[in-house]
Amino acid sequence: MTEAIDKIKFMSEAVRLSLENMKIGEGGPFGAVIVKNGQIIAKGNNQVLKYNDPTAHAEIVAIREACKILGTFQLDDCELYTSCEPCPMCLGAIYWARPKTVYYANSRQDAASIGFDDAFIYEEINTSFGQRKIPMIHVHHEEAIRAFELWQEKNDKTLY
């Protein structure tokens, strides 16, 4: 019972952040919190307009803050509560951060119905480079592979 109440409490905070963001106008109606050991350790709201930064989505803002607080680039044993199903960019960041669970309230269809439609990005991911709306052109550069070779040889690297 307590676990269910906690989930409602944490999701309510993510939703509260999304509603607050509507009032302050830093970006779209999105909020997120990151929880570890039953405590909120980081919060994020959409700050795209505040910083003119298309990557400043609530989930990414929260992930950045949580990683800073924890002193790590992975969110092991953390949960992410977000007011909306993560977009493709946030989904990628979530997988890199590796929280144990993601909980979301509104769906991507709900977001699309108010003008936040990511369907075209999902479609582009499955489109060949030559067919994408933003051209993706491979430019071979012999020195570029050198960085990868040096990384491969590096004895003190941290994999992530």
Side-chain angles (χ1 to χ4, degrees), residues 1-19 31-43 79-83 103 105:
M1 183 73 145
T2 304
E3 190 174 316
I5 292 170
D6 284 348
K7 284 182 178 53
I8 292 168
K9 176 178 79 172
F10 299 139
M11 184 58 75
S12 293
E13 180 60 11
V15 170
R16 186 193 69 73
L17 290 166
S18 73
L19 291 166
V33 298
I34 296 180
V35 174
K36 185 166 185 169
N37 299 324
Q39 298 294 318
I40 294 175
I41 61 164
K43 299 178 182 184
E79 299 172 320
L80 171 66
Y81 290 79
T82 180
S83 64
Y103 300 95

Side-chain angles (χ1 to χ4, degrees), residues 42-100:
K43 299 178 182 184
N45 61 296
N46 184 291
Q47 299 177 1
V48 169
L49 300 177
K50 179 179 181 180
Y51 294 113
N52 292 317
D53 179 355
T55 69
H57 288 198
E59 296 92 337
I60 292 177
V61 170
I63 288 168
R64 288 174 180 162
E65 184 65 20
C67 289
K68 186 174 161 183
I69 287 167
L70 295 174
T72 182
F73 53 83
Q74 291 185 343
L75 298 177
D76 298 329
D77 299 319
C78 291
E79 299 172 320
L80 171 66
Y81 290 79
T82 180
S83 64
C84 187
E85 180 179 352
C87 75
M89 177 184 65
C90 292
L91 188 61
I94 288 165
Y95 272 92
W96 281 113
R98 296 179 181 96
K100 68 178 181 179

